[in-house]
Amino acid sequence: PSGCLTAIGAELQPFIEAAKAAKEIVAVDGCPVKCAKLLLERAQIPARSVVLTELGLTKGKTTVTPELVKEVATKIAKAF
């Protein structure tokens, strides 16, 4: 199976096992609550964390464009 955060939260073992076997996982969270990171920790899956609000985006207000996605992806890649 490919990566699916919801399947991990639903405790579907094939997805958890696939995530644990991944070379690296980066949890991308929309705010400082870090739900994605916490969900992965709960499943005992190590992950690095990126919080979009720390990159200057505002959850629910920042307009998502292809250019913004590319910019954020580049920042994440450089951070790790």
Side-chain angles (χ1 to χ4, degrees):
S2 61
C4 178
L5 190 60
T6 303
I8 292 169
E11 300 180 1
L12 300 177
Q13 287 305 310
F15 291 89
I16 292 171
E17 291 168 15
K20 287 182 177 180
K23 182 178 177 181
E24 183 173 36
I25 294 177
V26 178
V28 179
D29 281 296
C31 72
V33 176
K34 297 185 180 181
C35 293
K37 173 76 171 155
L38 293 172
L39 188 145
L40 291 167
E41 286 176 356
R42 182 175 173 214
Q44 299 178 347
I45 298 168
R48 295 177 183 234
S49 179
V50 172
V51 180
L52 296 178
T53 54
E54 293 174 6
L55 297 178
L57 284 71
T58 302
K59 185 175 180 178
K61 295 184 180 179
T62 300
T63 302
V64 179
T65 64
E67 295 80 16
L68 180 61
V69 171
K70 185 175 181 178
E71 177 186 332
V72 169
T74 300
K75 286 181 182 179
I76 292 171
K78 287 181 180 180
F80 301 110

